[in-house]
Amino acid sequence: MSDPAAHDRGAAGRPWDVWQLFFETSARLTTELETRLKEHGCSLMDYQVLLLLRNADHHRLRMGELAQRLVFSPSRLSYQIGVLEKRGWVRRRPCPEDRRGLEAELTDEGLAAFRRLRPAHARDVEELFLDVLEGDDAQRLHAIMERLARKVHPS
């Protein structure tokens, strides 16, 4: 691997410059989306939990799977679920299959909150991310992100 310090800043397309741009831009994008969601009383992580549960069968997921998909430690997930439980948006329940594990389940109030938040968040994602894609950018970016996902989390 080459030395990142050996690359000139500002030379477009050089691998380390691409990495730096990706790192800084994704952090800024995440921060801006977080700020905008907080105006509606929700954090980006709250929204992501609601989204994952909304899309899951029966609106519930095992805590371990949810932690894996969010890239959270078990303690961080437990805290996050606790925040959402206090709002009445999520509840923990024993897994019906084995009754040993726990799963998080979206409540009716959580589904209503998701439906209320979704239009504003969708507009923000469109404005800040999707609107800058041109031509086959989406397909190319999808292919790159899939390769990255397989590299950092092989199935």
Side-chain angles (χ1 to χ4, degrees), residues 8 14 17 30 34 41 60 65 67 82 86 102 108 112 149 153:
D8 296 331
R14 291 187 178 177
D17 295 324
T30 300
E34 175 83 20
R60 60 182 189 244
E65 181 179 351
K86 287 177 186 168
L102 288 176
D108 291 341
H153 190 256

Side-chain angles (χ1 to χ4, degrees), residues 34-53:
E34 175 83 20
T35 299
R36 291 180 182 202
L37 270 172
K38 284 199 178 211
E39 292 173 5
H40 301 280
C42 183
S43 75
L44 190 54
M45 285 301 101
D46 293 341
Y47 186 86
Q48 188 63 17
V49 170
L50 295 177
L51 175 65
L52 289 172
L53 293 175

Side-chain angles (χ1 to χ4, degrees), residues 46-96:
D46 293 341
Y47 186 86
Q48 188 63 17
V49 170
L50 295 177
L51 175 65
L52 289 172
L53 293 175
R54 158 54 175 69
N55 291 338
D57 288 340
H58 307 291
H59 300 304
R60 60 182 189 244
L61 284 171
R62 291 182 73 100
M63 294 289 282
E65 181 179 351
L66 193 53
Q68 181 182 15
R69 300 215 24 217
L70 291 165
V71 193
F72 275 13
S73 67
S75 62
R76 182 168 180 207
L77 178 63
S78 183
Y79 172 81
Q80 190 72 43
I81 294 299
V83 168
L84 295 173
E85 281 180 314
K86 287 177 186 168
R87 291 184 185 167
W89 293 359
V90 171
R91 72 176 143 256
R92 286 178 242 220
R93 52 177 263 165
C95 294

Side-chain angles (χ1 to χ4, degrees), residues 7-26:
H7 293 291
D8 296 331
R9 285 194 61 71
R14 291 187 178 177
W16 284 101
D17 295 324
V18 172
W19 163 249
Q20 190 67 32
L21 183 61
F22 169 80
F23 183 80
E24 291 174 4
T25 304
S26 60

